[in-house]
Amino acid sequence: MLLSVFAVIRVILVQPEGEYNVGFVARLCKNFGVKELYIVNPVCDVTKGREFAVRGIDVLNESRVVQTLDEAITDLDLKIATSSIADIPGDFLRKSVKPWEITKLILNKRVGLIFGRESVGLTREEISKCDLLLHIPTNTEYPVLNLSHAVGIVLYEINRNAIQNSAKISDEALRLLDKYIREVVDTIKKNPQDERIYYSLKRTILRGIGDEEDARTIIRFLRKIYLRINGDI
Amino acid sequence: MLLSVFAVIRVILVQPEGEYNVGFVARLCKNFGVKELYIVNPVCDVTKGREFAVRGIDVLNESRVVQTLDEAITDLDLKIATSSIADIPGDFLRKSVKPWEITKLILNKRVGLIFGRESVGLTREEISKCDLLLHIPTNTEYPVLNLSHAVGIVLYEINRNAIQNSAKISDEALRLLDKYIREVVDTIKKNPQDERIYYSLKRTILRGIGDEEDARTIIRFLRKIYLRINGDI
């Protein structure tokens, strides 16, 4: 649900050809909390995507089928086209951004992510109606991702950005970590150069800790070690 | 091709049930320059995945079908299990890392990414054979990604990081870290529940380490502690 706090995301599929992709995209929308799915002039039977939508079936049922791209993008603040062919030298329309470069642009906006046909992607005219062209970097030998996998990667990237910086560790745990790292290092220190152990250990542990439970386990570990070395247990 | 400069990645599918997923995964391997695809005891007809592999057909043709997970992971430096169910409070085996947290650990290593069955994922026994459990953050309402979409996201993340570049940690340092974490924890362990300290500490340290120098300092620290507790210095 995090995603929806940050932006309204609409996934727009232009003339999808494979019903499995439509179903997978509905599932991905559900996986990443995207509520708006628009399908422009599909050339497959969208209802056959149900089997692949699984618990994204409500997104599929509530998706809107429209006849033109214009109808799907008219009320959006930012329109992002996607392509597996990008950065053709000298072709300004084909200069692309990477998935992680759009995340800071989309906050609090109504954003459309526009994905083209499995066979030929988006036309130049369709791309020209958008604000940005996004390209997912891959192996240059075979850069063409399947449609629904491209959708999954872009939604993952947006969600990734929304949740980073969200891990919380209590002030008390931080204080205790520092205290015990300090005490253990002081206990084993032999010369001034060993002071680097304190900094290295503290940096590694603070960066590596995932949550409060981890923090408490590490604190307990350090405390046990301290007591053992000092012969108290 | 970037990916292959940084690590040998092996994608391992355990008992895949849908041939379309096997095909899609072969295509994704090709998209991201992954050459090694292992399939453990498939319950679908792998050859029917061809239709979905498209230009990843060579990866599918060269994939290895083995009967047990052990056969697929025996020669690897780092084994990363994946799960859509993670972080069950109090279950140390289910504490997970995020895709972007593994990227600096895998440089120059032989890494296995292990994906479970579409229906039930990996067993606890399978997870316990791995070094880390990776979970892709999604909407908590429906966190279950389709198998091949999970593969795509993890490979994308590794490639993203390879593009953005980062520090590297040697095989030897990784091995010594694991050895001394194990030994120190065994030394202070009092009851079976203390086993969680090993997992928590290992996860925190592997995730938090910035570079080889950090790794060496932490190894020295763990070694000193081990020797002190055991009365050797």
Side-chain angles (χ1 to χ4, degrees):
Chain A
M1 294 291 263
L2 262 168
L3 204 143
S4 60
V5 179
F6 288 81
V8 176
I9 303 286
R10 178 180 302 163
V11 170
I12 300 165
L13 304 180
V14 177
Q15 294 206 299
E17 295 153 359
E19 42 258 9
Y20 58 85
N21 273 327
V22 176
F24 280 138
V25 169
R27 177 170 177 174
L28 287 162
C29 286
K30 190 74 178 180
N31 288 146
F32 289 106
V34 169
K35 291 183 175 61
E36 299 191 14
L37 173 60
Y38 279 50
I39 304 166
V40 180
N41 196 17
V43 296
C44 63
D45 183 351
V46 168
T47 59
K48 286 191 184 153
R50 291 165 168 275
E51 179 192 342
F52 300 94
V54 194
R55 283 180 53 195
I57 187 72
D58 56 334
V59 178
L60 189 60
N61 288 340
E62 288 156 26
S63 68
R64 282 189 58 182
V65 174
V66 294
Q67 284 315 300
T68 65
L69 178 59
D70 288 335
E71 289 172 76
I73 61 176
T74 181
D75 59 338
L76 297 172
D77 300 322
L78 188 68
K79 300 164 280 277
I80 302 173
T82 57
S83 178
S84 56
I85 307 163
D87 297 290
I88 296 172
D91 185 345
F92 70 92
L93 200 61
R94 286 285 185 183
K95 289 284 282 187
S96 67
V97 297
K98 298 182 178 69
W100 56 88
E101 293 172 332
I102 64 164
T103 51
K104 63 180 178 296
L105 302 173
I106 65 175
L107 299 173
N108 298 316
K109 294 211 177 50
R110 295 188 63 80
V111 180
L113 300 170
I114 299 127
F115 296 85
R117 303 149 190 88
E118 287 92 331
S119 53
V120 293
L122 294 167
T123 65
R124 290 181 68 84
E125 196 198 340
E126 287 159 352
I127 293 171
S128 71
K129 289 179 177 173
C130 299
D131 301 296
L132 291 169
L133 180 67
L134 181 149
H135 172 69
I136 299 171
T138 56
N139 186 340
T140 50
E141 200 189 312
Y142 182 34
V144 187
L145 289 162
N146 175 52
L147 169 58
S148 65
H149 295 87
V151 173
I153 286 167
V154 176
L155 295 184
Y156 160 78
E157 181 68 55
I158 292 171
N159 196 54
R160 173 197 205 279
N161 197 261
I163 62 168
Q164 269 190 321
N165 310 319
S166 68
K168 279 202 293 274
I169 293 148
S170 70
D171 290 346
E172 196 209 352
L174 280 183
R175 191 180 57 76
L176 288 173
L177 277 170
D178 188 45
K179 171 178 145 80
Y180 284 112
I181 292 169
R182 179 80 267 170
E183 285 181 359
V184 170
V185 171
D186 282 351
T187 299
I188 59 163
K189 223 164 121 171
K190 283 192 174 157
N191 57 55
Q193 282 157 12
D194 285 343
E195 180 63 9
R196 77 161 60 180
I197 296 177
Y198 168 73
Y199 289 100
S200 188
L201 192 62
K202 183 170 166 181
R203 185 172 57 239
T204 298
I205 288 177
L206 292 188
R207 192 161 45 194
I209 264 175
D211 58 18
E212 185 76 12
E213 198 182 343
D214 262 353
R216 296 286 164 181
T217 307
I218 305 286
I219 290 166
R220 214 161 50 241
F221 165 76
L222 291 167
R223 192 165 169 277
K224 273 182 193 249
I225 280 177
Y226 177 75
L227 294 173
R228 275 294 284 273
I229 291 178
N230 287 280
D232 295 340
I233 50 172
Chain B
M1 293 297 261
L2 260 169
L3 205 141
S4 60
V5 179
F6 288 81
V8 176
I9 302 287
R10 177 180 303 166
V11 170
I12 300 166
L13 304 180
V14 177
Q15 294 207 297
E17 295 153 358
E19 44 257 8
Y20 56 86
N21 273 328
V22 177
F24 280 138
V25 169
R27 177 169 175 174
L28 286 161
C29 286
K30 190 74 179 181
N31 288 147
F32 289 106
V34 169
K35 292 185 175 61
E36 298 192 12
L37 173 61
Y38 278 51
I39 303 166
V40 180
N41 196 15
V43 295
C44 63
D45 183 351
V46 167
T47 58
K48 286 191 184 152
R50 291 165 168 274
E51 179 191 342
F52 300 93
V54 193
R55 281 180 53 197
I57 188 70
D58 55 335
V59 178
L60 189 60
N61 288 340
E62 289 156 27
S63 68
R64 282 190 56 182
V65 174
V66 295
Q67 285 314 302
T68 65
L69 178 58
D70 288 336
E71 289 172 75
I73 62 177
T74 181
D75 57 339
L76 297 172
D77 301 319
L78 189 68
K79 299 161 281 272
I80 302 174
T82 58
S83 178
S84 56
I85 307 164
D87 297 291
I88 296 172
D91 186 345
F92 68 86
L93 200 62
R94 284 286 186 183
K95 293 279 285 187
S96 67
V97 298
K98 298 182 180 69
W100 57 87
E101 293 171 334
I102 65 165
T103 50
K104 65 178 177 298
L105 301 173
I106 66 176
L107 300 173
N108 297 317
K109 300 218 169 41
R110 296 188 63 80
V111 179
L113 300 169
I114 298 127
F115 297 85
R117 303 149 190 87
E118 287 92 332
S119 53
V120 294
L122 294 169
T123 64
R124 289 181 70 83
E125 196 198 338
E126 286 159 354
I127 293 171
S128 72
K129 289 179 176 173
C130 299
D131 300 295
L132 290 170
L133 179 67
L134 180 148
H135 172 68
I136 298 172
T138 56
N139 186 343
T140 51
E141 198 189 316
Y142 183 32
V144 187
L145 289 163
N146 174 53
L147 169 60
S148 64
H149 295 87
V151 173
I153 286 167
V154 176
L155 296 183
Y156 160 78
E157 182 67 56
I158 292 170
N159 197 52
R160 175 196 203 279
N161 196 262
I163 291 169
Q164 293 189 316
N165 241 324
S166 89
K168 60 169 183 238
I169 294 151
S170 70
D171 289 348
E172 197 207 353
L174 255 195
R175 190 180 58 74
L176 289 173
L177 277 170
D178 188 46
K179 171 178 147 81
Y180 284 112
I181 293 168
R182 183 78 267 171
E183 286 181 357
V184 170
V185 172
D186 282 349
T187 299
I188 59 161
K189 221 164 124 172
K190 281 190 174 160
N191 56 55
Q193 281 154 16
D194 285 344
E195 179 65 8
R196 75 163 59 182
I197 297 176
Y198 168 73
Y199 287 97
S200 189
L201 192 64
K202 181 169 166 181
R203 184 172 56 243
T204 299
I205 288 177
L206 291 189
R207 189 158 52 188
I209 267 177
D211 57 18
E212 183 77 11
E213 198 183 344
D214 263 352
R216 295 287 164 181
T217 306
I218 305 287
I219 290 165
R220 213 160 52 239
F221 165 76
L222 292 167
R223 191 163 172 279
K224 273 179 191 255
I225 280 177
Y226 177 75
L227 293 174
R228 275 295 285 273
I229 291 177
N230 288 281
D232 295 339
I233 52 171

